[in-house]
């Protein structure tokens, strides 16, 4: 039987007919199967109908809320860790039920309130919900989960609790700006404490940053805090380097152990949050060069056996090249330009790598052709053009681009309208 068949037919379909102890055993088995699922399998299993059925089982007291939470937490953890997109929960009756239960539990008097149940409900909801969260609900979820994540004990149980809370928070987003006083002091304290004491797991630390960068996406005033107070570029660079050292990139993905496979997933989550950062940041910071270096290292290491990770790295470098605040000299010093030239020269190159690489060089070429104000800055621009021209000439870049010229139109139609059909737009001349 396939993973989905085992989950649905052998375990879930008969769940409501079991006694409580057998239910717990089945849920443990289902949680093990969830860890094995890829995105297609996950979406096949976790449908709106399945979530509605869980809602009905709770309603009819054929499944306890505690057992349902065990299953839902594991599904939400898997979905977020592996960056799956599944809107089934958001559209289900179970989502409505959990929202009401969160409000009801929060309104109880202090002596009547079940804090653990409220935390569990908030975590399940935040992990699984893929729509913008209402402001009223945020006022409950954020303080509740930030309180859990702020615990400073370094034992394994507390680390797991903080990881789950921060992972859940990392999935919370809205279309509007959230008041800074609701979260900023707490998340700054969590990040700073980890910087000094290293009390969080790698996934928890990444999730804390993702939560903050998601707020940056709608609140540009956070740039000073993120860039200069908490030093995002420096922290992300160090995390990428440390995680990369613990992965044997020469061994294919299916040969990885559980811990090593999780570290690759955390690297990919870091690359996602770096993309959000590049989209939002407006200022140049020298620490960005170190971040580019770390991305290049992962890019080159993952090329042979991890095409998705490698493609993510190239996408991040392309986003950086497009940003006017990013100094092109920083991309040159980090080795990014040489690494992308080397990549597009590979004999087997897919369309995704090709168009990201072309956009990378198109952005650099366009920016270097722009005149600058002042004699000093214009002299620096010309000197930078010369350095990049020499680097590209040394690596045979122009011949590679000439070889791609016939597919420019196809890539432009299929993948990206910004691709130019003019060969000269990709060339840097002195």
């Amino acid at each position: 039987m396939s993973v989905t068949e085992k989950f649905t037919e052998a375990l879930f379909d008969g769940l409501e007919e079991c006694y409580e102890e057998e239910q717990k055993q089945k849920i443990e088995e289902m949680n093990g199967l969830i860890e094995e699922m890829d995105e297609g399998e996950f979406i096949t299993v976790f449908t709106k109908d399945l979530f509605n059925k869980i809602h009905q089982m709770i309603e009819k007291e054929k499944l306890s809320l505690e057992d349902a939470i065990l299953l839902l937490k594991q599904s939400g953890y898997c979905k977020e860790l592996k960056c799956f997109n599944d809107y089934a929960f958001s559209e289900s009756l179970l989502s409505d039920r959990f929202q009401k239960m969160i409000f009801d539990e929060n309104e109880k008097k202090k002596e009547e309130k079940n804090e653990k149940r409220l935390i569990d409900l908030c975590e399940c909801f935040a992990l699984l919900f893929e729509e913008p969260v209402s402001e009223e609900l945020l006022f409950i979820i954020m303080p509740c989960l930030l309180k859990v994540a702020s615990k400073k004990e370094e034992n394994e149980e507390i680390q797991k609790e903080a990881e789950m809370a921060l992972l859940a928070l990392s999935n919370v987003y809205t279309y509007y700006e959230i008041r800074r006083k609701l979260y900023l002091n707490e998340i700054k304290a969590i990040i700073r404490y980890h910087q000094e004491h290293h009390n969080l797991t790698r996934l928890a630390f990444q999730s804390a940053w993702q939560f903050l960068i998601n707020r940056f996406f709608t609140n540009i005033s956070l740039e000073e805090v993120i860039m200069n107070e908490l030093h995002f570029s420096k922290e992300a660079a160090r995390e990428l380097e440390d995680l990369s050292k613990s992965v044997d990139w020469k061994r294919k993905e299916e040969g990885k152990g559980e811990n090593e496979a999780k570290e690759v997933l955390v690297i990919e989550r870091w690359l996602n949050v770096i993309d959000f950062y590049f989209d939002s940041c407006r200022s140049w910071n020298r620490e960005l060069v170190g971040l580019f270096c770390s991305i290049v290292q992962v890019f080159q290491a993952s090329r042979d056996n991890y095409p998705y990770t490698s493609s993510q790295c190239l996408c991040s470098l392309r986003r950086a090249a497009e940003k006017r605040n990013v100094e092109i000299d920083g991309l040159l010093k980090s080795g990014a330009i040489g690494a992308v030239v080397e990549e597009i020269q590979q004999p087997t190159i897919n369309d995704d790598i090709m168009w990201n690489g072309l956009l990378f060089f198109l952005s650099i070429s366009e920016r270097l052709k722009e005149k600058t104000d002042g004699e000093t800055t214009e002299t620096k621009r010309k000197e930078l053009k010369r350095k990049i021209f020499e680097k590209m000439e040394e690596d045979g870049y122009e011949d590679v681009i000439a070889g791609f010229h016939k597919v420019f139109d196809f890539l432009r139609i299929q993948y990206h309208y910004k691709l130019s059909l003019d060969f000269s737009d990709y060339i840097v001349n002195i």
Side-chain angles (χ1 to χ4, degrees):
M1 297 176 73
S2 67
V3 170
T4 56
E5 288 170 334
K6 285 179 186 176
F7 184 96
T8 306
E9 296 174 22
L11 296 169
F12 185 79
D13 282 350
L15 197 60
E16 59 186 323
E17 307 300 330
C18 301
Y19 292 110
E20 187 173 351
E21 285 303 313
E22 191 179 351
Q23 277 189 343
K24 286 186 184 295
Q25 184 179 348
K26 282 197 169 192
I27 287 170
E28 286 179 10
E29 291 180 53
M30 285 190 283
N31 283 346
L33 291 172
I34 291 170
E35 292 180 5
E36 301 175 23
M37 292 180 185
D38 59 26
E39 186 167 14
E41 291 167 335
F42 187 92
I43 292 170
T44 299
V45 166
F46 288 97
T47 61
K48 179 180 175 180
D49 287 343
L50 181 135
F51 288 120
N52 284 342
K53 186 171 181 180
I54 292 174
H55 161 74
Q56 291 169 358
M57 290 169 70
I58 297 171
E59 185 82 11
K60 295 176 181 178
E61 297 184 350
K62 294 192 174 183
L63 178 66
S64 70
L65 179 62
E66 289 70 23
D67 285 349
I69 282 170
L70 287 175
L71 179 62
L72 294 168
K73 268 196 184 183
Q74 180 64 18
S75 62
Y77 183 91
C78 175
K79 180 183 77 69
E80 276 309 290
L81 174 63
K82 298 181 180 180
C83 300
F84 296 161
N85 290 314
D86 187 358
Y87 290 84
F89 175 80
S90 306
E91 300 165 353
S92 70
L93 296 172
L94 187 62
S95 168
D96 297 335
R97 182 188 193 93
F98 270 42
Q99 289 187 64
K100 184 179 185 306
M101 292 178 74
I102 289 170
F103 283 120
D104 290 347
E105 193 66 46
N106 186 64
E107 288 174 4
K108 290 179 182 177
K109 295 177 182 179
K110 187 175 180 180
E111 60 271 17
E112 298 174 353
K113 189 180 296 185
N114 186 329
E115 291 286 349
K116 184 181 184 308
R117 174 170 289 186
L118 181 60
I119 291 165
D120 286 339
L121 290 168
C122 288
E123 286 179 346
C124 284
F125 183 83
L127 285 165
L128 290 165
F129 197 70
E130 293 286 4
E131 300 288 346
V133 179
S134 70
E135 190 169 19
E136 295 80 9
L137 203 55
L138 285 176
F139 284 156
I140 303 171
I141 290 176
M142 280 192 177
C144 177
L145 298 188
L146 284 168
K147 184 179 178 181
V148 175
S150 297
K151 293 180 181 179
K152 294 181 171 58
E153 298 90 336
E154 295 183 26
N155 65 67
E156 187 175 349
E157 183 179 350
I158 296 297
Q159 285 185 326
K160 285 182 178 179
E161 289 177 4
E163 181 180 271
M164 187 69 79
L166 287 166
L167 187 64
L169 282 167
S170 74
N171 190 47
V172 173
Y173 78 97
T174 63
Y175 291 135
Y176 52 86
E177 183 178 327
I178 303 169
R179 282 180 257 175
R180 290 165 57 138
K181 68 179 183 180
L182 187 61
Y183 65 88
L184 187 56
N185 289 339
E186 289 80 1
I187 200 67
K188 279 170 62 177
I190 289 168
I191 290 172
R192 280 177 169 159
Y193 190 84
H194 176 79
Q195 288 171 338
E196 294 178 15
H197 302 281
H198 304 287
N199 63 306
L200 298 174
T201 66
R202 292 198 182 280
L203 175 58
F205 188 52
Q206 185 280 329
S207 297
W209 272 112
Q210 185 165 330
F211 169 75
L212 185 55
I213 298 294
N214 285 348
R215 311 284 78 77
F216 184 29
F217 202 60
T218 55
N219 186 352
I220 204 70
S221 67
L222 291 172
E223 184 165 60
E224 175 64 25
V225 172
I226 290 168
M227 183 176 284
N228 298 320
E229 270 191 63
L230 299 177
H231 302 280
F232 171 76
S233 296
K234 184 178 178 181
E235 293 295 318
R238 191 192 67 244
E239 288 295 304
L240 283 180
E241 289 173 13
D242 290 348
L243 283 160
S244 186
K245 288 175 185 175
S246 61
V247 174
D248 182 0
W249 295 105
K250 294 180 181 179
R251 188 165 66 239
K252 290 188 179 294
E253 189 166 6
E254 53 270 21
K256 303 291 182 191
E258 183 180 337
N259 288 338
E260 201 171 3
K262 183 176 179 179
E263 285 164 345
V264 173
L265 290 170
V266 177
I267 288 173
E268 291 172 353
R269 284 175 57 84
W270 268 112
L271 291 168
N272 284 336
V273 79
I274 287 167
D275 280 355
F276 279 123
Y277 177 67
F278 286 159
D279 281 341
S280 302
C281 69
R282 299 177 298 177
S283 304
W284 171 254
N285 185 305
R286 291 181 182 179
E287 292 175 357
L288 280 167
V289 177
L291 180 54
F292 297 153
C293 288
S294 298
I295 295 171
V296 168
Q297 288 174 15
V298 176
F299 180 40
Q300 294 175 320
S302 61
R303 175 188 295 149
D304 293 336
N305 294 318
Y306 289 76
Y308 180 71
T309 310
S310 181
S311 180
Q312 277 188 291
C313 291
L314 180 53
C315 183
S316 294
L317 294 174
R318 186 259 299 167
R319 286 178 186 271
E322 290 173 341
K323 295 288 290 185
R324 287 296 190 268
N325 62 288
V326 170
E327 293 185 2
I328 295 173
D329 192 41
L331 291 168
L332 181 64
K333 288 177 179 177
S334 69
I337 290 175
V340 179
V341 173
E342 182 183 351
E343 180 64 21
I344 63 175
Q345 288 177 321
Q346 298 299 310
T348 53
I349 176 174
N350 63 40
D351 293 343
D352 184 63
I353 293 287
M354 196 183 303
W355 76 258
N356 266 304
L358 289 171
L359 278 174
F360 176 85
F361 289 112
L362 181 63
S363 298
I364 288 174
S365 177
E366 286 177 346
R367 291 177 59 190
L368 287 173
K369 287 172 183 175
E370 296 171 354
K371 296 286 185 180
T372 54
D373 295 329
E375 186 176 335
T376 303
T377 54
E378 183 62 18
T379 301
K380 287 183 178 178
R381 182 182 73 90
K382 289 180 178 179
E383 176 61 18
L384 180 57
K385 282 180 70 176
R386 184 188 61 79
K387 288 180 181 177
I388 292 177
F389 173 81
E390 290 175 354
K391 175 63 180 171
M392 290 180 168
E393 188 176 47
E394 177 187 332
D395 292 343
Y397 167 79
E398 194 165 331
D399 290 338
V400 177
I401 295 298
F404 289 150
H405 191 238
K406 292 181 180 179
V407 296
F408 281 178
D409 191 40
F410 166 78
L411 291 172
R412 184 174 180 273
I413 293 170
Q414 295 293 323
Y415 293 93
H416 213 293
Y417 68 93
K418 288 183 180 179
L419 278 176
S420 172
L421 300 180
D422 189 342
F423 170 77
S424 64
D425 287 342
Y426 300 87
I427 305 301
V428 175
N429 295 312
I430 299 176

